[in-house]
Amino acid sequence: QKEVEQNSGPLSVPEGAIASLNCTYSDRGSQSFFWYRQYSGKSPELIMFIYSNGDKEDGRFIAQLNKASQYVSLLIRDSQPSDSATYLCAVNPPGGFKTIFGAGTRLFVKA
Amino acid sequence: EAGVVQSPRYKIIEKKQPVAFWCNPISGHNTLYWYLQNLGQGPELLIRYENEEAVDDSQLPKDRFSAERLKGVDSTLKIQPAELGDSAVYLCASSPGLAESSYEQYFGPGTRLTVT
């Protein structure tokens, strides 16, 4: 079992819809959770981080964390074609220092 | 505020040649990371520094890779000799780190290495 798992996609949604990206992790004691966006040929860009169970909202982005289920998700409301990218889930295991990245989910938003 | 700076952006070398990558982190960020990213994969940690101390280098192939972060600011990653399988994007990232209990990472543009 991979430490951080994501569906590779591609996930295709129409413009204006809600895109839902999911991630599971194996280490139950993990403490910090991050979502990065990576455009083709570019480096990852931090878009959200969440440390506590529940929802965290920032503009059109909502991060959801459920530690009991070892599940973290990212919702993108009112998806735009410019949101088309690969979204990387990243998790810090206990100790907080080392970050493990998933392989990413490719998202396509159709105009 | 300037972001993470890396150079060069692209490098093409023949196998068995040496290569070096340079990174300057965001000012004030104590933690510096070097990652390797292959196409279709997430970044994989090579080494992490807290100030000038390498605190996690378990994934660094020490027979050919070396890194340093003198004075706890900029850092250099070296490969000698390079192998065909080293072709990848090498990413540098920094974060406020342990001092602020903040581990959000900010990435540089990366160096795309091609070994022929």
Side-chain angles (χ1 to χ4, degrees), chain A residues 2 8 31-32 34 36 38 40-46 48-49 51 88 90 92 95-104, chain B residues 9-10 31 33 35 37 40-45 48 50 56 58-59 91 98 101-110 112:
Chain A
K2 294 181 180 178
S8 63
Q31 301 173 340
S32 309
F34 308 87
Y36 291 83
Q38 187 170 25
S40 180
K42 302 296 185 181
S43 59
E45 173 191 12
L46 178 70
M48 290 285 286
F49 60 90
Y51 297 156
L88 299 165
N92 280 24
F97 308 130
K98 179 174 180 176
T99 302
I100 300 172
F101 285 81
Chain B
R9 294 292 310 278
Y10 305 91
T31 307
Y33 310 77
Y35 289 94
Q37 186 175 27
Q41 300 298 315
E44 299 173 29
L45 181 69
R48 175 173 65 89
E50 291 286 347
D56 186 349
S58 58
Q59 302 302 312
L91 296 164
L98 183 61
S101 296
S102 172
Y103 300 99
E104 304 92 73
Q105 295 179 39
Y106 300 88
F107 285 82
R112 182 175 298 276

Side-chain angles (χ1 to χ4, degrees), chain A residues 49-82:
Chain A
F49 60 90
I50 185 166
Y51 297 156
S52 303
N53 270 332
D55 296 358
K56 179 180 179 181
E57 187 172 329
D58 184 0
R60 295 187 297 113
F61 299 102
I62 302 171
Q64 299 176 318
L65 175 60
N66 184 327
K67 290 186 177 180
S69 299
Q70 296 174 236
Y71 179 95
V72 58
S73 63
L74 178 70
L75 303 178
I76 307 175
R77 294 185 298 200
D78 188 23
S79 296
Q80 301 296 309
S82 59

